[in-house]
Amino acid sequence: TEQIEPDPSKKTLVILGTGWGSVSLLKNLDTENYNVIVVSPRNFFLFTPLLPSCTTGYIEHRSIMEPIRNILRHKKASVRFYEAEATKIDYQNKKIQVKDDSDVKGDSMETEIDFDMLVVGVGAENATFGIPGVREHSCFLKEVGDAQKIRKKIMDCVETALFKGQSEEEVKRLLHMVVVGGGPTGVEFAGELQDFFQEDLLKWVPQVKDHFRVTLVEALPNVLPSFSKQLIDYTESSFKEEHIDIRTKTMVKNVTDKTIEAQVTLPDGTKKTEIIPYGLLVWATGNAVRPVVKDLMAQIPAQKDERRGLKVNEYLVVKGTENIWAVGDCAIANYAPTAQVAAQEGAFLARLFNTMAKTDAMETELRELSERQATAKVDERNEILSLINERQKQLRRTKQVGPFQYSHQGSLAYIGAEKAVADVSWFSGNIASGGTMTYLFWKSAYLSMCFSSRNRVLVLMDWMKSRIFGRDVSRE
Ligand code: FAD
Ligand code: NAD
């Protein structure tokens, strides 16, 4: 089916990315209405909410990945997928440049793809704010490779700390696990890491007991700024019980291979610089705009004043364009950059495109009917006229797609020691809860949200496996 030529009577819809936004669009799109082409350097969908659990081997990364080919094979009409990165979007000429970055080299590694309609769902990259040393020395937590790198590095730090002749100071440094950024990513990772220490490492390598420490560094006065005050307090006191050190009002300014340099604001408002040695450094300070998106923004005058991503209107059309839409973390629509928002935006676009295809077909039929009516005999004319009226009514009804409206289902985060926090919308009110019951809710909610039954079964098995045998600490 890959070789099937595009149908010239249909518009070509190019979708960039295979994340939350793009996959939700693909799942809900009637693909027979368009020549659909998907371009992404990642040939799978990743269920990011459970990625922090992969850093310690509590869950295996493959359990939260779903191959894009498996998603596409269930579509009615064939969709082309190119495993490649979009390196440039040429707005004027309606083309994108794509580059295949894979290790296996073919004749064609770079090419252009024409589009009539384009959906940008490329997500965001990691923010570093230009702080020196971050890219070279820290691990991010966004992709599967990041989680694998962290998993390997935790055990590297442990084994090196235990190497014969290591000085006590070096042991302390190597076993100091520092997380920068107190948003949900940093908090969830710190919780998972401390669990690993408490539940497995202590049993398997009791020598690390006195020196293994997890520290969470946050520039603001508190962690989880997007959660309610009650849950922030709950998280902070729970971290204290778990012996996770929270360093708020501490802004990292520089990173070297063994230390971070931070500016700490003291209670009297004065500032001092502190050097903190670390063995593992995980950097989770949020999102930054990808270069391909920045470049597109520079081509569109209406995007001139925006810095955070592609400004979209209430139909997710990139402002200043007519045929480009954006979803998820790369789109700025006044919602938080979350999976929940991206998935709803993707589903909305699918509804919009399905409707647009229907209205296009109706408009063509209407044009044909009007032409027929003009030349028809008198007795036929009335019949055609009533058909035209009927179709016009249908068209008006179909065209009534309202603007995108986000429905917030709540925020959930795991905080370690089998506790989670949740700000959940319930009818018209809000419920804030934290603790073990919330953890069970967190587990069942995320299990039910997994992409496929296959993912669900794998995650459940991983949870059981880790419970019974402990996490796998062997290094790959
Ligand atoms: P992504 O899901 O990041 O997908 C982007 C896609 O674009 C990827 O397939 C990527 O390979 C592809 N791509 C990148 N560059 C290019 C290019 N140049 N050309 C073509 N394709 C490209 N949100 C929640 O709501 N709840 C949670 O519990 C939650 N937990 C999270 C945990 C972690 C560890 C992280 C990192 C995020 C979490 N989030 C959560 C946030 C959520 O994952 C993001 O908001 C969501 O992934 C955004 O979806 P997206 O489709 O915009 O981007
Ligand atoms: P974030 O933007 O939510 O938090 C980053 C934090 O890093 C901020 O609190 C910021 O003050 C801090 N920071 C920035 N620079 C710093 C510095 N130099 N030194 C110290 N601290 C610094 O980032 P995130 O946690 O990666 O989340 C990104 C998005 O993904 C958010 O929208 C979030 O809601 C979503 N997400 C949700 C969940 C969940 O719902 N469970 C989990 C992960 C991510």
Side-chain angles (χ1 to χ4, degrees):
T1 53
E2 275 301 295
Q3 303 311 321
I4 289 174
E5 281 305 308
D7 179 343
S9 70
K10 291 177 187 170
K11 285 185 176 156
T12 298
L13 166 63
V14 175
I15 300 172
L16 303 184
T18 45
W20 277 97
S22 302
V23 166
S24 162
L25 159 62
L26 274 166
K27 242 169 78 177
N28 295 288
L29 183 71
D30 291 339
T31 48
E32 61 267 45
N33 294 328
Y34 301 95
N35 297 309
V36 183
I37 301 175
V38 180
V39 177
S40 175
R42 210 172 73 183
N43 73 351
F44 56 89
F45 167 75
L46 176 66
F47 188 76
T48 47
L50 291 178
L51 191 62
S53 301
C54 298
T55 59
T56 61
Y58 193 51
I59 287 179
E60 294 298 334
H61 57 271
R62 288 198 175 272
S63 306
I64 57 166
M65 292 157 69
E66 185 68 27
I68 194 74
R69 298 281 180 188
N70 197 22
I71 298 171
L72 296 183
R73 81 190 170 99
H74 295 294
K75 300 306 294 182
K76 261 201 212 140
S78 87
V79 174
R80 273 158 218 251
F81 172 69
Y82 297 125
E83 190 186 67
E85 182 193 345
T87 50
K88 185 173 174 75
I89 298 164
D90 182 346
Y91 170 56
Q92 278 291 310
N93 298 308
K94 295 201 212 163
K95 279 179 195 308
I96 56 164
Q97 286 169 17
V98 301
K99 187 163 171 252
D100 179 352
D101 286 325
S102 60
D103 292 337
V104 176
K105 304 289 172 215
D107 268 356
S108 167
M109 298 300 284
E110 273 179 70
T111 187
E112 285 183 345
I113 297 172
D114 294 314
F115 65 84
D116 297 308
M117 296 156 73
L118 176 72
V119 176
V120 189
V122 297
E125 60 175 33
N126 295 290
T128 64
F129 307 103
I131 297 170
V134 176
R135 285 203 185 279
E136 297 86 322
H137 306 298
S138 59
C139 301
F140 297 115
L141 181 49
K142 204 170 195 34
E143 297 292 341
V144 166
D146 299 331
Q148 285 173 297
K149 188 172 157 194
I150 295 173
R151 186 173 176 184
K152 179 172 177 290
K153 203 144 180 211
I154 298 169
M155 284 321 287
D156 262 349
C157 286
V158 170
E159 301 297 1
T160 304
L162 297 178
F163 189 68
K164 189 165 180 254
Q166 213 66 270
S167 69
E168 189 174 335
E169 203 176 332
E170 191 64 348
V171 172
K172 273 192 194 161
R173 178 187 73 80
L174 285 163
L175 295 179
H176 191 201
M177 312 277 137
V178 174
V179 186
V180 180
T185 304
V187 165
E188 290 193 322
F189 171 67
E192 292 278 353
L193 187 51
Q194 187 69 9
D195 282 359
F196 176 38
F197 170 63
Q198 291 290 349
E199 291 166 16
D200 292 322
L201 262 188
L202 267 183
K203 264 187 252 159
W204 297 27
V205 203
Q207 304 95 298
V208 300
K209 181 171 180 281
D210 293 332
H211 295 311
F212 192 96
R213 274 191 309 141
V214 179
T215 300
L216 181 63
V217 178
E218 167 58 53
L220 297 175
N222 58 269
V223 297
L224 291 183
S226 58
F227 282 69
S228 58
K229 169 88 175 65
Q230 179 193 346
L231 293 182
I232 291 170
D233 292 347
Y234 181 79
T235 305
E236 291 187 349
S237 72
S238 178
F239 267 27
K240 211 172 190 175
E241 276 171 28
E242 292 170 46
H243 304 291
I244 299 172
D245 201 9
I246 298 186
R247 300 288 311 268
T248 50
K249 296 188 185 169
T250 305
M251 184 183 277
V252 178
K253 297 274 189 184
N254 190 34
V255 173
T256 71
D257 58 344
K258 294 181 180 168
T259 60
I260 54 170
E261 186 186 314
Q263 190 182 66
V264 186
T265 308
L266 300 170
D268 64 4
T270 57
K271 293 188 164 61
K272 71 162 191 181
T273 300
E274 202 179 320
I275 306 285
I276 305 171
Y278 71 85
L280 169 78
L281 179 64
V282 171
W283 194 267
T285 62
N287 292 344
V289 185
R290 288 198 191 278
V292 68
V293 172
K294 257 190 217 156
D295 179 77
L296 174 62
M297 288 163 70
Q299 297 169 45
I300 305 164
Q303 299 285 333
K304 200 172 80 253
D305 300 326
E306 188 55 66
R307 295 274 162 273
R308 299 163 299 155
L310 290 163
K311 233 184 333 181
V312 293
N313 72 10
E314 69 274 32
Y315 287 88
L316 307 181
V317 178
V318 171
K319 285 189 178 166
T321 77
E322 275 159 18
N323 54 345
I324 305 185
W325 290 258
V327 287
D329 286 1
C330 64
I332 301 300
N334 287 333
Y335 305 113
T338 65
Q340 224 183 122
V341 170
Q344 288 184 31
E345 289 177 339
F348 168 82
L349 273 197
R351 268 200 315 280
L352 187 73
F353 292 167
N354 294 344
T355 309
M356 277 164 64
K358 262 192 226 144
T359 54
D360 276 357
M362 282 180 186
E363 274 163 1
T364 312
E365 194 192 344
L366 267 171
R367 261 196 311 277
E368 282 165 9
L369 282 171
S370 308
E371 279 161 20
R372 255 178 62 199
Q373 190 230 0
T375 54
K377 292 194 189 106
V378 183
D379 51 342
E380 256 182 0
R381 212 174 268 177
N382 283 345
E383 209 176 301
I384 298 176
L385 209 60
S386 69
L387 206 57
I388 288 178
N389 274 337
E390 180 68 20
R391 289 288 181 272
Q392 272 170 341
K393 264 192 227 148
Q394 274 175 0
L395 184 63
R396 271 197 297 275
R397 268 203 305 273
T398 314
K399 272 188 167 168
Q400 277 170 357
V401 177
F404 171 68
Q405 272 174 334
Y406 171 59
S407 137
H408 186 59
Q409 306 296 307
S411 309
L412 265 174
Y414 179 60
I415 60 168
E418 304 202 335
K419 290 180 199 156
V421 286
D423 271 321
V424 183
S425 316
W426 191 261
F427 294 103
S428 52
N430 238 326
I431 298 181
S433 74
T436 309
M437 281 311 287
T438 316
Y439 170 63
L440 294 176
F441 173 67
W442 175 87
K443 267 192 146 173
S444 54
Y446 281 177
L447 200 61
S448 72
M449 276 185 250
C450 275
F451 188 85
S452 60
S453 321
R454 178 184 146 270
N455 285 153
R456 235 163 267 142
V457 170
L458 292 177
V459 167
L460 254 180
M461 283 186 345
D462 287 346
W463 277 339
M464 278 179 349
K465 213 170 64 182
S466 300
R467 268 289 158 111
I468 300 168
F469 303 112
R471 296 162 179 82
D472 185 352
V473 294
S474 49
R475 205 157 32 75
E476 280 172 73

